[in-house]
Amino acid sequence: MRFTSEQRLADGVRERTFTLGEIPGLLWTPTSTSAPAPLILLGHPGGLRRMYPRLVARAEGCVAQGFAAATIELPGSGDRPASAAAEQARADLRRSLAAGEPVADEVVDRLVLPLVDKAVPEWRAALDALLALPEVGGPVGYAGGVISIGVRLALVEPRIVAALLFAGSFVPRTIVEEARRVTVPLHVLLQWDDEGNDRQMALDLFDAFGSAEKTLHANMGGHTGVPHFEGEPANRFFARHLR
Amino acid sequence: MRFTSEQRLADGVRERTFTLGEIPGLLWTPTSTSAPAPLILLGHPGGLRRMYPRLVARAEGCVAQGFAAATIELPGSGDRPASAAAEQARADLRRSLAAGEPVADEVVDRLVLPLVDKAVPEWRAALDALLALPEVGGPVGYAGGVISIGVRLALVEPRIVAALLFAGSFVPRTIVEEARRVTVPLHVLLQWDDEGNDRQMALDLFDAFGSAEKTLHANMGGHTGVPHFEGEPANRFFARHLR
């Protein structure tokens, strides 16, 4: 991991950009730390530059709670080389949606599974590098989408002890099966009236999780309209499990 | 309304029992109040004596937030005279459940609609009496079950400006239709793995509500196992809407 820039944001937040091999990433830590800060990995749908305003807002919230936050670019997004197979799957998905047809399972599989298979080892490698920093400590949380990446990470990465997941559509059956074996505490946010979202799929996935503590918070307000008042229970979720 | 007893509980809570005609009730207020406290009506499934430990815990939480809390006995429950028709409907319901058969809509209607029709005017009369007390003020919230009573009250009682509802089964279609016309902010608690509960019914009812702000919080833990961490978002819900 190589740091490429650094700046101080308001309210005691230190932001650094880094690269991990070819993968760009961002790390936010408290400017004044005595002990290593527990880390929250911020998931997102890909495209760090486009997602930056929302990511930095979430990161500032994490740091205000005494956590470090970090994220990396997804395979095929932002400045990373596109995958021809993923582009083809995305085109097939768009064609089905435009025609008002159900999206075939094999299209979802082609779109999501290679992404999960490639991204999850990258996030785990990032975790190795981040936890080697003196100012960052365990335990680790994951917060955000892509929900399929979050499910796989929660299943295979023992350093992740709690996950806050944003419900999304197009979850492969393989991932739903993996969800049955997830046991870490979960906090799932669902936008009830999100037209781009398959609500029943999200409810079925929530039902599938094997976790003894799982909470679903559903709200109105469309895809990006998670109400401000959901910030507090999300903070408390991580405070309970990362301290 | 006639007060029949009074005691001081711990943490600055004054508890009074009262009767409103033949209906017993309980009122909890802060022992030290300068301004009238906004009122939260505590819904329950009937049987004040049996429900008392849980009701007093919820009431103490309300008073700790600066609210007054009150409840009354339901028709046919506790010391109030039983209704032969309601007993018959309950026996029919038990027979269906024991036989593993679906419960007929007409049984649900016979069980719930007369209860709602009788209880709601009683709660409104209690509201008239409670709001006439100098230490109790508006606006008013409703918190708890029976969810069908909560729906009807939220629809017809303009002094109720926010409702926290406990999801339950056996909601008549009439009530689901009424829910479409409910517009006050709602916070719905659903126990996901409650075997005595029809989860799909609860999700359909949540979907039906006409409110622009509606939130569903679903958790594991069985019928009475709402996690402690749901107390804080519930308090904040009423703080947002009753102040």
Side-chain angles (χ1 to χ4, degrees):
Chain A
M1 187 169 62
R2 196 167 61 81
F3 287 110
T4 47
S5 77
E6 168 161 353
Q7 64 173 320
R8 301 281 164 128
L9 309 180
D11 296 326
V13 181
R14 179 185 186 195
E15 176 185 282
R16 281 172 280 180
T17 60
F18 63 83
T19 55
L20 187 78
E22 54 144 18
I23 309 164
L26 286 153
L27 170 65
W28 296 269
T29 48
T31 48
S32 60
T33 43
S34 44
L39 176 65
I40 298 179
L41 297 174
L42 300 184
H44 59 84
L48 281 188
R49 208 166 286 137
R50 179 175 63 92
M51 292 302 295
Y52 178 80
R54 276 183 272 169
L55 286 166
V56 77
R58 289 162 55 196
E60 286 171 339
C62 292
V63 172
Q65 304 293 312
F67 300 123
T71 192
I72 55 172
E73 185 59 279
L74 293 190
S77 289
D79 297 336
R80 299 189 63 188
S83 143
E87 291 306 313
Q88 183 59 53
R90 207 181 311 273
D92 293 345
L93 174 78
R94 285 210 196 90
R95 198 171 310 121
S96 295
L97 292 176
E101 293 165 0
V103 179
D105 284 354
E106 68 84 19
V107 174
V108 173
D109 286 353
R110 277 195 284 126
L111 183 71
V112 178
L113 290 179
L115 175 69
V116 173
D117 289 343
K118 189 160 188 203
V120 166
E122 293 178 353
W123 284 83
R124 300 186 72 184
L127 207 45
D128 292 338
L130 291 161
L131 292 176
L133 299 171
E135 63 271 35
V136 178
V140 180
Y142 180 88
V146 176
I147 194 166
S148 294
I149 295 176
V151 170
R152 173 74 59 83
L153 268 172
L155 181 62
V156 302
E157 176 49 70
R159 291 171 292 188
I160 293 180
V161 302
L164 186 156
L165 301 173
F166 300 169
S169 300
F170 311 125
V171 177
R173 283 174 198 276
T174 313
I175 298 291
V176 177
E177 290 309 311
E178 292 181 16
R180 297 187 198 285
R181 290 184 287 129
V182 168
T183 56
V184 298
L186 296 174
H187 183 94
V188 179
L189 290 174
L190 168 64
Q191 289 300 92
W192 191 259
D193 59 346
D194 181 353
E195 285 184 15
N197 217 326
D198 182 338
R199 185 197 300 160
Q200 194 56 52
M201 168 83 250
L203 294 171
D204 291 347
L205 180 62
F206 178 73
D207 192 45
F209 283 116
S211 308
E213 182 187 326
K214 56 181 180 182
T215 297
L216 176 75
H217 284 194
N219 287 284
M220 308 301 286
H223 187 69
T224 58
V226 178
H228 279 290
F229 58 73
E230 286 294 354
E232 185 67 24
N235 288 340
R236 284 173 179 268
F237 171 74
F238 281 123
R240 281 201 306 281
H241 296 294
L242 298 188
R243 288 198 207 285
Chain B
M1 188 169 61
R2 194 168 61 83
F3 287 110
T4 46
S5 77
E6 168 161 355
Q7 63 172 320
R8 303 279 165 131
L9 309 180
D11 297 326
V13 180
R14 178 185 187 194
E15 176 184 282
R16 281 172 281 179
T17 60
F18 62 83
T19 56
L20 187 78
E22 54 142 20
I23 308 164
L26 286 152
L27 170 65
W28 297 271
T29 49
T31 47
S32 59
T33 43
S34 44
L39 176 65
I40 298 179
L41 297 175
L42 300 184
H44 59 84
L48 280 188
R49 208 166 287 136
R50 181 175 62 94
M51 294 300 298
Y52 178 81
R54 278 183 271 170
L55 286 166
V56 77
R58 289 161 57 197
E60 285 171 340
C62 291
V63 172
Q65 305 293 312
F67 301 124
T71 192
I72 56 172
E73 185 59 277
L74 295 190
S77 290
D79 297 334
R80 299 187 62 187
S83 142
E87 292 305 313
Q88 183 58 53
R90 205 180 313 272
D92 294 344
L93 174 78
R94 286 210 197 90
R95 198 170 308 120
S96 295
L97 293 176
E101 292 165 2
V103 178
D105 284 354
E106 68 85 18
V107 174
V108 174
D109 286 355
R110 277 195 285 126
L111 183 71
V112 178
L113 290 180
L115 175 69
V116 173
D117 288 344
K118 186 155 190 208
V120 166
E122 293 177 353
W123 284 83
R124 301 186 72 183
L127 208 46
D128 291 340
L130 291 161
L131 291 174
L133 300 171
E135 64 271 35
V136 178
V140 179
Y142 179 88
V146 175
I147 194 166
S148 293
I149 294 176
V151 170
R152 174 73 61 81
L153 267 172
L155 180 63
V156 303
E157 176 49 69
R159 290 172 292 189
I160 293 180
V161 302
L164 185 157
L165 301 173
F166 299 169
S169 300
F170 311 123
V171 177
R173 284 174 198 277
T174 313
I175 298 290
V176 178
E177 290 310 310
E178 291 180 17
R180 298 187 197 285
R181 292 185 283 129
V182 168
T183 57
V184 298
L186 296 175
H187 184 93
V188 180
L189 289 174
L190 169 64
Q191 288 302 89
W192 190 259
D193 59 346
D194 182 351
E195 285 184 14
N197 216 326
D198 182 338
R199 186 197 299 161
Q200 194 56 51
M201 169 82 250
L203 294 171
D204 290 346
L205 179 62
F206 179 73
D207 192 46
F209 282 116
S211 307
E213 181 188 328
K214 57 181 178 181
T215 296
L216 176 74
H217 284 194
N219 287 285
M220 307 301 286
H223 187 70
T224 57
V226 177
H228 277 293
F229 58 71
E230 286 294 352
E232 185 68 26
N235 288 339
R236 285 173 179 267
F237 171 75
F238 281 122
R240 283 202 304 284
H241 297 293
L242 296 189
R243 287 196 205 284

CSV table of all heavy atoms in Angstrom, one decimal, chain A residues 30-79:
chain,number,residue,atom,x,y,z
A,30,PRO,N,-9.1,9.5,12.5
A,30,PRO,CA,-9.1,10.6,13.4
A,30,PRO,C,-7.7,11.3,13.3
A,30,PRO,O,-6.7,10.6,13.3
A,30,PRO,CB,-9.4,10.1,14.7
A,30,PRO,CG,-10.0,8.7,14.5
A,30,PRO,CD,-9.3,8.2,13.2
A,31,THR,N,-7.6,12.6,13.3
A,31,THR,CA,-6.3,13.3,13.3
A,31,THR,C,-5.6,13.1,14.7
A,31,THR,O,-4.4,13.0,14.7
A,31,THR,CB,-6.5,14.8,13.1
A,31,THR,OG1,-7.5,15.3,13.9
A,31,THR,CG2,-6.8,15.1,11.7
A,32,SER,N,-6.4,13.0,15.7
A,32,SER,CA,-5.8,12.7,17.0
A,32,SER,C,-6.2,11.3,17.5
A,32,SER,O,-7.4,11.1,17.8
A,32,SER,CB,-6.2,13.8,18.0
A,32,SER,OG,-7.6,13.8,18.2
A,33,THR,N,-5.3,10.4,17.6
A,33,THR,CA,-5.7,9.1,18.1
A,33,THR,C,-4.7,8.6,19.1
A,33,THR,O,-3.5,8.8,18.9
A,33,THR,CB,-5.7,8.0,17.0
A,33,THR,OG1,-4.5,8.2,16.1
A,33,THR,CG2,-6.9,8.0,16.1
A,34,SER,N,-5.2,8.1,20.2
A,34,SER,CA,-4.2,7.5,21.1
A,34,SER,C,-4.2,6.0,20.8
A,34,SER,O,-3.1,5.5,20.6
A,34,SER,CB,-4.8,7.7,22.6
A,34,SER,OG,-6.1,7.5,22.6
A,35,ALA,N,-5.3,5.3,20.8
A,35,ALA,CA,-5.3,3.9,20.5
A,35,ALA,C,-5.7,3.7,19.0
A,35,ALA,O,-6.2,4.5,18.4
A,35,ALA,CB,-6.4,3.2,21.4
A,36,PRO,N,-5.4,2.5,18.5
A,36,PRO,CA,-5.8,2.2,17.1
A,36,PRO,C,-7.3,2.2,17.0
A,36,PRO,O,-8.0,1.7,17.9
A,36,PRO,CB,-5.3,0.8,16.9
A,36,PRO,CG,-4.2,0.5,17.9
A,36,PRO,CD,-4.6,1.4,19.1
A,37,ALA,N,-7.8,2.8,15.9
A,37,ALA,CA,-9.2,3.0,15.7
A,37,ALA,C,-9.8,1.7,15.0
A,37,ALA,O,-9.2,1.3,14.0
A,37,ALA,CB,-9.6,4.2,14.9
A,38,PRO,N,-10.9,1.2,15.6
A,38,PRO,CA,-11.6,0.1,14.8
A,38,PRO,C,-11.9,0.5,13.4
A,38,PRO,O,-12.3,1.7,13.2
A,38,PRO,CB,-12.8,-0.2,15.7
A,38,PRO,CG,-12.5,0.3,17.0
A,38,PRO,CD,-11.6,1.5,16.8
A,39,LEU,N,-11.9,-0.4,12.5
A,39,LEU,CA,-12.0,0.0,11.1
A,39,LEU,C,-13.4,-0.4,10.5
A,39,LEU,O,-13.9,-1.5,10.7
A,39,LEU,CB,-10.9,-0.7,10.3
A,39,LEU,CG,-10.9,-0.5,8.7
A,39,LEU,CD1,-10.7,0.9,8.4
A,39,LEU,CD2,-9.9,-1.4,8.1
A,40,ILE,N,-14.0,0.6,9.8
A,40,ILE,CA,-15.2,0.2,9.0
A,40,ILE,C,-14.9,0.3,7.5
A,40,ILE,O,-14.4,1.4,7.0
A,40,ILE,CB,-16.4,1.2,9.4
A,40,ILE,CG1,-16.7,1.0,10.9
A,40,ILE,CG2,-17.6,0.9,8.5
A,40,ILE,CD1,-17.8,1.9,11.4
A,41,LEU,N,-15.1,-0.8,6.8
A,41,LEU,CA,-14.9,-0.8,5.3
A,41,LEU,C,-16.2,-0.2,4.7
A,41,LEU,O,-17.2,-0.8,5.0
A,41,LEU,CB,-14.6,-2.2,4.9
A,41,LEU,CG,-13.3,-2.9,5.4
A,41,LEU,CD1,-13.3,-4.3,4.9
A,41,LEU,CD2,-12.1,-2.1,4.9
A,42,LEU,N,-16.0,0.8,3.9
A,42,LEU,CA,-17.2,1.4,3.2
A,42,LEU,C,-17.4,0.8,1.8
A,42,LEU,O,-16.7,1.1,0.9
A,42,LEU,CB,-17.0,2.9,3.1
A,42,LEU,CG,-16.8,3.7,4.4
A,42,LEU,CD1,-16.7,5.2,4.2
A,42,LEU,CD2,-17.9,3.4,5.4
A,43,GLY,N,-18.5,0.0,1.7
A,43,GLY,CA,-18.8,-0.6,0.4
A,43,GLY,C,-19.5,0.4,-0.4
A,43,GLY,O,-20.1,1.4,0.1
A,44,HIS,N,-19.5,0.3,-1.7
A,44,HIS,CA,-20.2,1.2,-2.7
A,44,HIS,C,-20.4,0.5,-4.0
A,44,HIS,O,-19.8,-0.6,-4.2
A,44,HIS,CB,-19.3,2.4,-2.8
A,44,HIS,CG,-17.9,2.1,-3.3
A,44,HIS,ND1,-17.7,2.0,-4.7
A,44,HIS,CD2,-16.8,1.9,-2.7
A,44,HIS,CE1,-16.4,1.7,-4.8
A,44,HIS,NE2,-15.8,1.6,-3.6
A,45,PRO,N,-21.1,1.0,-4.9
A,45,PRO,CA,-21.4,0.3,-6.2
A,45,PRO,C,-20.4,0.4,-7.2
A,45,PRO,O,-20.5,-0.1,-8.3
A,45,PRO,CB,-22.7,0.9,-6.6
A,45,PRO,CG,-22.7,2.3,-6.1
A,45,PRO,CD,-22.0,2.2,-4.8
A,46,GLY,N,-19.3,1.1,-6.9
A,46,GLY,CA,-18.2,1.3,-7.9
A,46,GLY,C,-18.1,2.7,-8.5
A,46,GLY,O,-19.2,3.3,-8.7
A,47,GLY,N,-16.9,3.2,-8.7
A,47,GLY,CA,-16.8,4.6,-9.2
A,47,GLY,C,-16.5,5.5,-8.0
A,47,GLY,O,-17.3,6.3,-7.6
A,48,LEU,N,-15.2,5.4,-7.5
A,48,LEU,CA,-14.9,6.2,-6.3
A,48,LEU,C,-15.1,7.7,-6.5
A,48,LEU,O,-15.5,8.4,-5.6
A,48,LEU,CB,-13.4,6.0,-5.9
A,48,LEU,CG,-13.1,4.7,-5.2
A,48,LEU,CD1,-11.6,4.8,-4.7
A,48,LEU,CD2,-14.0,4.5,-4.0
A,49,ARG,N,-14.8,8.2,-7.7
A,49,ARG,CA,-14.9,9.7,-7.9
A,49,ARG,C,-16.3,10.1,-7.9
A,49,ARG,O,-16.6,11.1,-7.2
A,49,ARG,CB,-14.3,10.0,-9.3
A,49,ARG,CG,-13.7,11.4,-9.4
A,49,ARG,CD,-12.8,11.6,-10.6
A,49,ARG,NE,-11.5,11.0,-10.5
A,49,ARG,CZ,-10.9,10.3,-11.4
A,49,ARG,NH1,-11.5,10.1,-12.6
A,49,ARG,NH2,-9.7,9.7,-11.2
A,50,ARG,N,-17.2,9.4,-8.5
A,50,ARG,CA,-18.6,9.7,-8.5
A,50,ARG,C,-19.2,9.5,-7.1
A,50,ARG,O,-20.1,10.3,-6.7
A,50,ARG,CB,-19.3,8.7,-9.5
A,50,ARG,CG,-20.8,8.8,-9.6
A,50,ARG,CD,-21.3,7.8,-10.7
A,50,ARG,NE,-21.1,6.4,-10.4
A,50,ARG,CZ,-22.0,5.7,-9.8
A,50,ARG,NH1,-23.2,6.1,-9.4
A,50,ARG,NH2,-21.7,4.4,-9.5
A,51,MET,N,-18.8,8.5,-6.4
A,51,MET,CA,-19.3,8.2,-5.1
A,51,MET,C,-18.7,9.1,-4.0
A,51,MET,O,-19.1,9.0,-2.8
A,51,MET,CB,-19.1,6.7,-4.7
A,51,MET,CG,-19.9,5.7,-5.6
A,51,MET,SD,-21.7,6.0,-5.5
A,51,MET,CE,-22.0,5.6,-3.8
A,52,TYR,N,-17.6,9.8,-4.3
A,52,TYR,CA,-16.8,10.5,-3.3
A,52,TYR,C,-17.7,11.3,-2.3
A,52,TYR,O,-17.5,11.2,-1.0
A,52,TYR,CB,-15.7,11.3,-3.9
A,52,TYR,CG,-14.9,12.1,-2.8
A,52,TYR,CD1,-13.9,11.4,-2.1
A,52,TYR,CD2,-15.2,13.4,-2.5
A,52,TYR,CE1,-13.2,12.1,-1.1
A,52,TYR,CE2,-14.5,14.1,-1.5
A,52,TYR,CZ,-13.5,13.4,-0.8
A,52,TYR,OH,-12.8,14.1,0.2
A,53,PRO,N,-18.6,12.2,-2.8
A,53,PRO,CA,-19.3,13.0,-1.8
A,53,PRO,C,-20.1,12.2,-0.7
A,53,PRO,O,-20.0,12.5,0.5
A,53,PRO,CB,-20.3,13.8,-2.7
A,53,PRO,CG,-19.7,13.8,-4.0
A,53,PRO,CD,-18.9,12.5,-4.2
A,54,ARG,N,-20.7,11.1,-1.2
A,54,ARG,CA,-21.4,10.3,-0.2
A,54,ARG,C,-20.5,9.5,0.7
A,54,ARG,O,-20.7,9.3,1.9
A,54,ARG,CB,-22.4,9.3,-1.0
A,54,ARG,CG,-23.7,10.0,-1.3
A,54,ARG,CD,-24.7,9.1,-2.0
A,54,ARG,NE,-24.6,9.1,-3.4
A,54,ARG,CZ,-25.1,8.2,-4.2
A,54,ARG,NH1,-25.9,7.3,-3.7
A,54,ARG,NH2,-25.0,8.3,-5.5
A,55,LEU,N,-19.4,9.0,0.1
A,55,LEU,CA,-18.4,8.2,0.9
A,55,LEU,C,-17.8,9.1,2.0
A,55,LEU,O,-17.6,8.6,3.1
A,55,LEU,CB,-17.3,7.6,0.0
A,55,LEU,CG,-17.8,6.5,-0.9
A,55,LEU,CD1,-16.7,6.2,-2.0
A,55,LEU,CD2,-18.0,5.2,0.0
A,56,VAL,N,-17.4,10.3,1.6
A,56,VAL,CA,-16.7,11.2,2.6
A,56,VAL,C,-17.7,11.5,3.7
A,56,VAL,O,-17.3,11.6,4.9
A,56,VAL,CB,-16.1,12.4,1.9
A,56,VAL,CG1,-17.1,13.5,1.6
A,56,VAL,CG2,-15.0,13.0,2.8
A,57,ALA,N,-19.0,11.7,3.4
A,57,ALA,CA,-20.0,12.0,4.4
A,57,ALA,C,-20.1,10.8,5.4
A,57,ALA,O,-20.1,11.0,6.6
A,57,ALA,CB,-21.3,12.3,3.8
A,58,ARG,N,-20.1,9.6,4.8
A,58,ARG,CA,-20.2,8.4,5.7
A,58,ARG,C,-18.9,8.3,6.5
A,58,ARG,O,-19.0,7.9,7.7
A,58,ARG,CB,-20.5,7.2,4.8
A,58,ARG,CG,-21.9,7.1,4.2
A,58,ARG,CD,-22.0,6.2,3.1
A,58,ARG,NE,-21.6,4.8,3.4
A,58,ARG,CZ,-21.3,3.9,2.5
A,58,ARG,NH1,-21.4,4.1,1.2
A,58,ARG,NH2,-20.9,2.7,2.9
A,59,ALA,N,-17.8,8.5,5.9
A,59,ALA,CA,-16.5,8.4,6.6
A,59,ALA,C,-16.4,9.4,7.7
A,59,ALA,O,-15.9,9.0,8.8
A,59,ALA,CB,-15.3,8.6,5.6
A,60,GLU,N,-16.9,10.6,7.5
A,60,GLU,CA,-16.8,11.6,8.6
A,60,GLU,C,-17.7,11.2,9.8
A,60,GLU,O,-17.3,11.4,10.9
A,60,GLU,CB,-17.3,13.0,8.0
A,60,GLU,CG,-16.2,13.6,7.2
A,60,GLU,CD,-16.7,14.9,6.5
A,60,GLU,OE1,-17.9,15.1,6.3
A,60,GLU,OE2,-15.8,15.7,6.0
A,61,GLY,N,-18.8,10.5,9.4
A,61,GLY,CA,-19.7,10.0,10.5
A,61,GLY,C,-18.9,8.9,11.3
A,61,GLY,O,-19.0,8.8,12.5
A,62,CYS,N,-18.2,8.0,10.6
A,62,CYS,CA,-17.4,7.0,11.2
A,62,CYS,C,-16.4,7.6,12.1
A,62,CYS,O,-16.2,7.2,13.3
A,62,CYS,CB,-16.8,6.1,10.2
A,62,CYS,SG,-17.9,5.1,9.2
A,63,VAL,N,-15.6,8.6,11.6
A,63,VAL,CA,-14.5,9.1,12.4
A,63,VAL,C,-15.1,9.9,13.6
A,63,VAL,O,-14.5,9.8,14.7
A,63,VAL,CB,-13.6,10.0,11.5
A,63,VAL,CG1,-12.6,10.8,12.4
A,63,VAL,CG2,-12.9,9.2,10.4
A,64,ALA,N,-16.2,10.5,13.5
A,64,ALA,CA,-16.9,11.2,14.6
A,64,ALA,C,-17.2,10.2,15.7
A,64,ALA,O,-17.2,10.6,16.9
A,64,ALA,CB,-18.1,11.9,14.1
A,65,GLN,N,-17.4,9.0,15.4
A,65,GLN,CA,-17.7,7.9,16.4
A,65,GLN,C,-16.4,7.2,16.9
A,65,GLN,O,-16.4,6.3,17.6
A,65,GLN,CB,-18.6,6.8,15.8
A,65,GLN,CG,-19.9,7.3,15.2
A,65,GLN,CD,-20.8,7.9,16.3
A,65,GLN,OE1,-21.0,7.2,17.3
A,65,GLN,NE2,-21.3,9.1,16.1
A,66,GLY,N,-15.2,7.7,16.4
A,66,GLY,CA,-14.0,7.1,16.8
A,66,GLY,C,-13.5,6.0,16.0
A,66,GLY,O,-12.6,5.3,16.4
A,67,PHE,N,-14.1,5.8,14.8
A,67,PHE,CA,-13.6,4.7,13.9
A,67,PHE,C,-12.8,5.2,12.8
A,67,PHE,O,-12.8,6.4,12.5
A,67,PHE,CB,-14.9,4.0,13.3
A,67,PHE,CG,-15.8,3.4,14.3
A,67,PHE,CD1,-17.1,3.7,14.3
A,67,PHE,CD2,-15.3,2.5,15.2
A,67,PHE,CE1,-18.0,3.2,15.3
A,67,PHE,CE2,-16.2,1.9,16.2
A,67,PHE,CZ,-17.5,2.3,16.2
A,68,ALA,N,-12.0,4.4,12.2
A,68,ALA,CA,-11.3,4.6,10.9
A,68,ALA,C,-12.3,4.1,9.9
A,68,ALA,O,-13.1,3.2,10.1
A,68,ALA,CB,-10.0,4.0,10.9
A,69,ALA,N,-12.2,4.7,8.6
A,69,ALA,CA,-13.0,4.2,7.5
A,69,ALA,C,-12.1,4.1,6.3
A,69,ALA,O,-11.2,4.9,6.1
A,69,ALA,CB,-14.2,5.1,7.3
A,70,ALA,N,-12.4,3.1,5.5
A,70,ALA,CA,-11.6,2.9,4.3
A,70,ALA,C,-12.4,2.3,3.2
A,70,ALA,O,-13.4,1.6,3.4
A,70,ALA,CB,-10.3,2.1,4.5
A,71,THR,N,-12.0,2.6,1.9
A,71,THR,CA,-12.7,1.9,0.8
A,71,THR,C,-11.7,1.8,-0.3
A,71,THR,O,-10.7,2.4,-0.4
A,71,THR,CB,-13.9,2.8,0.3
A,71,THR,OG1,-14.7,2.0,-0.6
A,71,THR,CG2,-13.5,4.1,-0.3
A,72,ILE,N,-12.0,0.9,-1.3
A,72,ILE,CA,-11.2,0.7,-2.5
A,72,ILE,C,-12.1,0.7,-3.7
A,72,ILE,O,-13.3,0.4,-3.6
A,72,ILE,CB,-10.3,-0.6,-2.4
A,72,ILE,CG1,-11.1,-1.8,-2.2
A,72,ILE,CG2,-9.2,-0.4,-1.4
A,72,ILE,CD1,-10.4,-3.1,-2.4
A,73,GLU,N,-11.5,1.0,-4.8
A,73,GLU,CA,-12.3,0.9,-6.1
A,73,GLU,C,-12.6,-0.5,-6.4
A,73,GLU,O,-11.9,-1.5,-6.1
A,73,GLU,CB,-11.4,1.5,-7.2
A,73,GLU,CG,-12.2,1.7,-8.5
A,73,GLU,CD,-13.4,2.6,-8.4
A,73,GLU,OE1,-14.5,2.0,-8.0
A,73,GLU,OE2,-13.4,3.8,-8.8
A,74,LEU,N,-13.8,-0.7,-7.0
A,74,LEU,CA,-14.2,-2.0,-7.4
A,74,LEU,C,-13.6,-2.4,-8.8
A,74,LEU,O,-13.3,-1.5,-9.6
A,74,LEU,CB,-15.7,-2.1,-7.6
A,74,LEU,CG,-16.6,-2.0,-6.3
A,74,LEU,CD1,-18.0,-2.3,-6.6
A,74,LEU,CD2,-16.0,-2.8,-5.2
A,75,PRO,N,-13.4,-3.7,-9.0
A,75,PRO,CA,-12.9,-4.2,-10.3
A,75,PRO,C,-13.8,-3.7,-11.4
A,75,PRO,O,-15.0,-3.7,-11.3
A,75,PRO,CB,-13.0,-5.7,-10.2
A,75,PRO,CG,-13.0,-6.0,-8.8
A,75,PRO,CD,-13.7,-4.8,-8.1
A,76,GLY,N,-13.2,-3.1,-12.5
A,76,GLY,CA,-14.0,-2.7,-13.7
A,76,GLY,C,-14.7,-1.3,-13.5
A,76,GLY,O,-15.3,-0.8,-14.4
A,77,SER,N,-14.5,-0.6,-12.4
A,77,SER,CA,-15.1,0.7,-12.1
A,77,SER,C,-14.1,1.8,-12.1
A,77,SER,O,-12.9,1.5,-11.9
A,77,SER,CB,-15.9,0.7,-10.8
A,77,SER,OG,-17.0,-0.1,-10.9
A,78,GLY,N,-14.5,3.0,-12.2
A,78,GLY,CA,-13.6,4.2,-12.1
A,78,GLY,C,-12.5,4.1,-13.1
A,78,GLY,O,-12.7,3.9,-14.3
A,79,ASP,N,-11.3,4.3,-12.6
A,79,ASP,CA,-10.1,4.2,-13.5
A,79,ASP,C,-9.6,2.8,-13.8
A,79,ASP,O,-8.6,2.7,-14.5
A,79,ASP,CB,-9.0,5.1,-12.9
A,79,ASP,CG,-9.4,6.6,-12.8
A,79,ASP,OD1,-10.3,7.0,-13.6
A,79,ASP,OD2,-8.8,7.3,-12.0
